[in-house]
Amino acid sequence: MTAEPAAPAIEEVARIQSRTVRVLAAGQVLGGVSFGATVSLGALLAADLSGQESLSGFATASVTLGAALCAIPLARLAGARGRRFALTLGNVFALIGIAVVITAAAVRSFPLLLVGVVLIGAGNAGNLQSRFAATDLAAPARRGRDLGTVVWATTVGGVLGPLMITPGEILGGAIGMPPLTGAYLFSIVAQAAALALYLVALRPDPLVLAQRIERASTRVRAAGVDADRPVAARYAMFAVAASHVVMASVMAMTPVHLSHLAVGGPAGHGDHADPTAVTLLVGMTIALHVFGMYGASPLFGYLADRIGRVPTVLVGQGLLAVSLLVAAAWPDAQVAVVVALFLLGLGWSAATVAGSALLTESTPLALRPRRQGLSDTAMTASAAVGAVLAGLVLGAFGYGVLALFALVLVAATTLLSPLGRR
C-alpha cells in the first residue's frame, strides 16, 4: 500500500492558498455572469411562456428551490470527493439547465422552463460553496479576508451578467435563437470556462489537502484542527440565514414599492410615470444594493479577522437595523428607500462574511462540508419563504410595516449573539 505523501510546509500551504483564492475568485466572476443573466431573464421568460405576469415570480422561486435542494448533497460530495468535484458538478448542472431553458423557450413550455431554472439554481448551490472553499487552507487570522475576497468577486459577474442581455439578444437573434434567450450564449461560455478553470487550476484540491494536513497533525491541536463548538456553529447558521431573510424579503419587494412611488404614491395612484424613469430608478437602487452586498466584503472580512466574528456579525445587525428604520420612517421617500437598500446590502455582507467564518472555525474539518451545506440550505429556503411572506405583508400593510417586521429577526440575531462566543 502506497504511503500518503507528507503534508506540505506552512510556506507551501500559504502559496497554495493564495492561488486557490485567485482561482475561486475567477470562478465566481464567471459564475456571476451566468447567474446574473438567469436572474434578469427568468422572470421575463416565465411571464412570456405562461402568459401571466403573476407567474413571473415562479422563476425566482425555482432558482431558490434548486439551490436549497442541492446545497447539502453537493456539500457531502465535497467532503467525500473534494471541492473540485462539487464545484464542477455544479457547473454541469447549470449548463444542462441553460440548455433546458433555451429548449423550453423554443417549444413554449412553461413547466419545462421551471425545470431548467431549478437546474441552474442547483448550479448556483455549487457556486455558493466557493466562499467556504476559500477557508479550507486559510490561516485562522486570514479566514475572513480570504472568504471576503471570493465573495467580492461576485460583484464583477453580478454587474456584467445583466449587461449581457442586450448584446446577447442581438447575437441570439442573428443565429435564430428564441426571443429572450440570446444572453444565455454568454452564460454557456462562462459556465464552460468556469468548469475548465476548476478542473485544470484548482489543484491540489483545497479540502482534500486540508484533510491530509489534519491527519498529519493529529498530535498538534494548534496545527489547524479546530475544536467542535456546536452552539456557536448553530448561532452562525442562524445569523447567516436570518440576515439573508431580512435582505431578500425587503429587497424583493423594493422594485414593486418603487414602481408604485413613481406613479404617484404607495398605492400607485396618480399620473403615470415615464417607464424609462421607473426602470432607471429601480436599476440604480438595485445596483447600489448589490454593490453594498459584495463590494465591501473584503473590508468586512478584514474586520472579522481584526475584531472577531461575533462583533462583526453585530456590526451587520446594526447596519440592517439602521436600514430598516430608515425604510420604516420614510417609506414614501425615494431617496430614503435608495439609502435603505444600500445599507441593507452592507449589513448582509458583514453578517454573511463573519457568520460564514464563524461557522467554519466552530466546526472540525470532518464536519464542515455537512454543516456548510446545511447553512446554505437554511439560508436559501428561509429566504424563499420570507419573500413570499414579504409580498403578503407589503400588500396588506405597506413597505414601512414590512421593514418593522424584518426588525424582529435583527433583534433575535443580536440577542442570541452570546451563543456565538460559547
Side-chain angles (χ1 to χ4, degrees):
M1 182 176 179
T2 305
E4 185 177 76
I10 294 175
E11 295 79 5
E12 177 67 9
V13 172
R15 186 186 64 80
I16 294 171
Q17 169 66 2
S18 179
R19 186 179 73 242
T20 297
V21 170
R22 291 195 298 270
V23 171
L24 292 170
Q28 283 292 90
V29 171
L30 294 169
V33 169
S34 175
F35 192 66
T38 298
V39 170
S40 302
L41 290 172
L44 297 175
L45 279 168
D48 179 53
L49 297 184
S50 67
Q52 300 181 53
E53 190 175 282
S54 60
L55 297 181
S56 59
F58 275 70
T60 303
S62 297
V63 170
T64 305
L65 176 64
L69 289 176
C70 290
I72 291 177
L74 285 178
R76 289 184 174 177
L77 282 172
R81 302 283 297 275
R83 298 288 187 190
R84 184 170 63 248
F85 183 83
L87 292 175
T88 53
L89 184 59
N91 293 136
V92 171
F93 281 147
L95 283 168
I96 295 173
I98 292 169
V100 172
V101 166
I102 295 173
T103 302
V107 301
R108 307 289 300 171
S109 172
F110 177 64
L112 187 60
L113 170 72
L114 297 183
V115 172
V117 176
V118 166
L119 287 169
I120 294 174
N124 190 51
N127 218 34
L128 285 172
Q129 288 192 15
S130 294
R131 74 187 194 281
F132 290 124
T135 67
D136 290 332
L137 294 172
R142 285 198 56 89
R143 277 184 183 139
R145 276 168 281 187
D146 288 349
L147 191 151
T149 298
V150 173
V151 173
W152 174 86
T154 310
T155 311
V156 181
V159 171
L160 288 178
L163 294 179
M164 296 292 102
I165 294 176
T166 300
E169 280 302 289
I170 296 173
L171 181 59
I175 62 175
M177 291 184 66
L180 299 176
T181 62
Y184 284 111
L185 287 173
F186 298 113
S187 297
I188 292 172
V189 172
Q191 285 292 344
L195 176 64
L197 175 71
Y198 291 141
L199 284 174
V200 174
L202 198 60
R203 296 175 181 274
D205 187 287
L207 183 55
V208 172
L209 179 57
Q211 291 167 339
R212 179 153 59 92
I213 292 172
E214 183 185 59
R215 288 193 295 270
S217 308
T218 52
R219 292 178 298 175
V220 185
R221 195 66 179 173
V225 182
D226 293 295
D228 188 12
R229 296 190 292 149
V231 174
R234 285 194 289 270
Y235 172 76
M237 287 189 277
F238 176 80
V240 170
S243 301
H244 192 67
V245 171
V246 170
M247 182 279 296
S249 58
V250 176
M251 182 271 292
M253 296 301 107
T254 298
V256 177
H257 178 64
L258 286 175
S259 66
H260 291 167
L261 292 182
V263 294
H269 301 301
D271 296 332
H272 291 288
D274 180 3
T276 303
V278 175
T279 55
L280 179 62
L281 174 62
V282 171
M284 180 187 69
T285 303
I286 298 303
L288 282 173
H289 171 70
V290 171
F291 179 76
M293 287 176 64
Y294 301 115
S297 54
L299 171 63
F300 292 125
Y302 174 80
L303 196 64
D305 290 336
R306 293 286 297 187
I307 69 173
R309 317 308 186 198
V310 175
T312 307
V313 168
L314 293 178
V315 169
Q317 301 313 301
L319 289 166
L320 290 174
V322 173
S323 165
L324 296 172
L325 289 173
V326 168
W330 299 283
D332 299 332
Q334 293 180 2
V335 173
V337 173
V338 172
V339 170
L341 259 286
F342 177 66
L343 293 173
L344 192 74
L346 289 176
W348 175 90
S349 181
T352 300
V353 170
S356 298
L358 176 62
L359 174 61
T360 296
E361 67 187 19
S362 301
T363 305
L365 186 62
L367 298 177
R368 279 182 199 165
R370 186 185 310 168
R371 285 186 184 169
Q372 289 165 347
L374 180 60
S375 178
D376 282 347
T377 297
M379 181 178 73
T380 52
S382 57
V385 175
V388 172
L389 295 177
L392 299 175
V393 173
L394 180 70
F397 304 107
Y399 192 74
V401 175
L402 171 62
L404 293 177
F405 268 94
L407 268 175
V408 174
L409 286 175
V410 174
T413 304
T414 303
L415 292 173
L416 293 173
S417 62
L419 298 177
R421 305 177 193 273
R422 291 177 60 178

